[in-house]
Amino acid sequence: MSTFSGDQLAQVNNPDPFAPPVWRSPVYHTPGWVITMVQLGRLVCAILGFLLRHPVADLVAAVLVVAWLNLGWPGPVLLAAVVLAVLVLWRWRWPRSFSRFIARPALGKWRRWNYQRHWAAVMTIGRLAPVYRGRLLLPVLGKVSSTRYTDRVQVRLVSGQSAADFAARSENLAHGFAAVTCRVRTARPGAIVLELVRRDALAAIIPALPPPHHVDLKALPVGRREDGSPWLVRVHGTHVLLAGSTGAGKASLLWSLIRAMLPAIRTGLVRVLAADPKVMELAFGREIFDRHGAYACDPLAIVVMLEDAVRDMQARAGVLAGKQRDHAPTIGHPFVVVLLDEVAFLTAYLPDKAIRERVKAALATLTTQGRAVGYCVVAALQDPRKEVMSIRNLFPDRIAMRLDEPEQVDMVLGDGARDRGGTADLISSNPATGAGVAFVRIESDPDPVRVRAAWVGDEDIRAMCADCAPAPVRELAPQVPAIEAGAAA
């Protein structure tokens, strides 16, 4: 039998004289009352922590206990019925505030519990839980914000990890959490946000949106985002580049922008200069541009219109210089949108080199000097190569619809956009599911966002033209003066 001697370290007695010595630490037996006190302290700390983290649940439990003590079992039942009736009335009368304060937080709590159940397994199998000194280190699951379509999961990274590690395992995460797709969004240092799409909000065609009552040029509603919220496009103080192959739905976005600005166009606060080399798409609503702007389809007429816009812009800058730094649309100085469809024809494919150079010079001037004085260039093209559109870097906001090659995504949205989830080359070519779908990268956020533009049909454009038509002049019947009328009698 092995025996020990000594108070701190002891050697195991071994009858084999050639065996190496084996040293073991002595075993100290902690008294039972000390273990009991420690466990009670841990229990009290856990209960206090739970109460502090869930104040609403604490208040509900306290109210139920008071109702039970004063009224017996009918008390909690009556209280629950009243609360349920209030929630139903709230949901019926004020659905937006109910969704913001009740439905979404409750859904987020439920979804977080669901992620917590599978967190360790998905992180380990997906090789996102490194081992350090024999210990498995899991990224920390944070707050979960949920909508009907997406979950935004906050994650605190393990030291040494990066967002690229999670982006490389995005497919593993999507399958592990039973989501359609997963995108990795950058947050603060040491943290990321996993955007998990649970249901595609852009699967069906979106009908044309009604023109807004109040036009906000910094937030024009043109469609829907992937999380179900409205897609708002800014035109004031920026320029927009739209790229997409044939049939990708560029016309849907162009007409949605015009439709969203329609009330301001009617009042004269917005003018639209439309360049339509194809003589097909924008010509369908030419009445709008003829009355509230200008329309040109011939290359020479287009370059003249652009050069006139440059002169007007420079003249406006001379008038406003030293008076204001940010443009506010007025009748005298309206906001001007220069709309160019198939701009690649004008900058690269047009046979006349002189006109091509004049177009490039005019566009470069408008994009570099027009933002501060109320000019915005919205250009649409199919081929985003640099030799086709040499000034594409002058467009702060960019939209990529269905593209033919993966490399074109980074050409439009910037380097690394496809690795961050902007897979515009994978958008379906089926018009029912892919027309109007795009990825957006705005100036203030490098992460691409998936969106879909509303479909503006022929009847909608005709109605827009009718809305912009001048009011008919009523012919009044000539009034006979009273003296002449009496004389005639």
Side-chain angles (χ1 to χ4, degrees):
M1 181 179 66
S2 301
T3 60
F4 296 90
S5 61
D7 294 335
Q8 295 181 355
L9 295 176
Q11 180 182 358
V12 179
N13 292 331
N14 195 327
D16 185 2
F18 299 101
V22 179
W23 300 89
R24 292 181 182 175
S25 300
V27 178
Y28 294 96
H29 297 282
T30 305
W33 66 271
V34 174
I35 298 176
T36 303
M37 294 298 294
V38 171
Q39 296 299 330
L40 287 176
R42 290 180 176 177
L43 178 61
V44 171
C45 291
I47 293 175
L48 291 177
F50 179 85
L51 295 178
L52 293 176
R53 289 193 304 268
H54 304 85
V56 177
D58 303 338
L59 180 62
V60 171
V63 171
L64 290 176
V65 170
V66 172
W68 177 276
L69 295 177
N70 289 278
L71 301 175
W73 68 266
V77 174
L78 180 62
L79 185 62
V82 172
V83 171
L84 181 61
V86 171
L87 292 177
V88 171
L89 179 62
W90 189 357
R91 173 65 179 83
W92 176 55
R93 293 296 304 272
W94 302 281
R96 291 187 177 180
S97 61
F98 179 85
S99 175
R100 178 182 177 184
F101 295 105
I102 301 297
R104 289 188 178 179
L107 181 59
K109 293 288 185 182
W110 166 257
R111 295 302 308 164
R112 189 188 187 283
W113 174 81
N114 186 52
Y115 285 115
Q116 186 69 52
R117 291 174 52 210
H118 306 283
W119 189 254
V122 174
M123 292 294 109
T124 304
I125 297 173
R127 300 178 184 178
L128 292 171
V131 178
Y132 179 70
R133 291 185 178 180
R135 294 177 54 194
L136 189 67
L137 303 180
L138 289 174
V140 180
L141 174 63
K143 182 181 178 181
V144 177
S145 303
S146 299
T147 66
R148 294 174 54 192
Y149 305 99
T150 61
D151 294 335
R152 292 178 59 86
V153 182
Q154 298 181 10
V155 181
R156 192 167 74 244
L157 302 178
V158 176
S159 298
Q161 285 186 326
S162 66
D165 298 331
F166 280 75
R169 300 287 178 179
S170 59
E171 293 187 7
N172 303 62
L173 296 173
H175 289 289
F177 293 122
V180 177
T181 185
C182 174
R183 297 189 182 91
V184 180
R185 306 301 188 189
T186 54
R188 63 184 186 278
I192 60 172
V193 175
L194 299 180
E195 190 175 77
L196 294 151
V197 180
R198 311 204 61 84
R199 199 172 74 182
D200 191 2
L202 312 178
I205 296 176
I206 303 172
L209 303 179
H213 297 289
H214 173 70
V215 177
D216 185 0
L217 296 174
K218 296 182 180 180
L220 297 175
V222 297
R224 184 185 302 162
R225 292 164 57 109
E226 191 172 40
D227 59 358
S229 60
W231 176 22
L232 306 177
V233 173
R234 174 179 179 175
V235 293
H236 189 277
T238 188
H239 303 291
V240 182
L241 179 64
L242 170 61
S245 58
T246 302
K250 298 186 295 296
S252 299
L253 178 57
L254 296 179
W255 282 112
S256 294
L257 285 172
I258 298 172
R259 187 176 181 85
M261 296 185 294
L262 195 62
I265 292 175
R266 287 200 304 261
T267 57
L269 295 177
V270 174
R271 297 181 70 244
V272 180
L273 309 181
D276 187 19
K278 290 194 306 184
V279 202
M280 287 295 294
E281 190 58 52
L282 298 180
F284 202 82
R286 181 172 179 175
E287 298 177 17
I288 300 175
F289 313 127
D290 288 339
R291 295 192 184 105
H292 305 281
Y295 174 87
C297 57
D298 181 74
L300 183 58
I302 291 175
V303 73
V304 170
M305 181 180 68
L306 294 178
E307 291 173 344
D308 289 342
V310 170
R311 283 190 290 269
D312 293 341
M313 177 196 68
Q314 293 173 341
R316 178 183 296 183
V319 173
L320 301 180
K323 299 180 180 179
Q324 63 185 57
R325 297 178 60 189
D326 191 15
H327 175 262
T330 61
I331 300 298
H333 298 291
F335 183 75
V336 179
V337 179
V338 181
L339 198 64
L340 297 104
D341 190 19
E342 299 298 341
V343 67
F345 173 77
L346 300 173
T347 59
Y349 305 140
L350 187 65
D352 193 329
K353 182 178 178 181
I355 295 182
R356 288 204 313 266
E357 296 302 323
R358 291 170 62 184
V359 169
K360 292 179 182 179
L363 289 179
T365 307
L366 289 170
T367 51
T368 54
Q369 303 177 15
R371 296 172 63 178
V373 292
Y375 278 74
C376 171
V377 178
V378 179
L381 51 81
Q382 297 184 25
D383 190 350
R385 289 177 300 168
K386 195 74 174 179
E387 54 269 24
V388 174
M389 190 65 172
S390 58
I391 61 171
R392 68 186 184 196
N393 291 334
L394 299 179
F395 291 82
D397 296 343
R398 306 179 191 179
I399 302 170
M401 290 187 165
R402 177 170 53 84
L403 298 172
D404 297 327
E405 302 173 0
E407 295 78 9
Q408 293 180 347
V409 178
D410 291 348
M411 293 180 188
V412 179
L413 301 180
D415 292 339
R418 194 180 189 282
D419 295 335
R420 292 194 296 269
T423 54
D425 56 301
L426 300 181
I427 296 176
S428 174
S429 58
N430 183 1
T433 58
V437 177
F439 287 88
V440 180
R441 197 221 70 180
I442 60 177
E443 185 178 13
S444 59
D445 188 359
D447 293 329
V449 178
R450 186 168 175 261
V451 295
R452 186 168 191 175
W455 167 249
V456 181
D458 295 350
E459 294 300 325
D460 300 314
I461 299 176
R462 292 191 183 97
M464 292 165 58
C465 294
D467 289 341
C468 288
V473 180
R474 296 182 179 179
E475 296 183 0
L476 301 178
Q479 298 181 356
V480 181
I483 298 179
E484 297 181 1

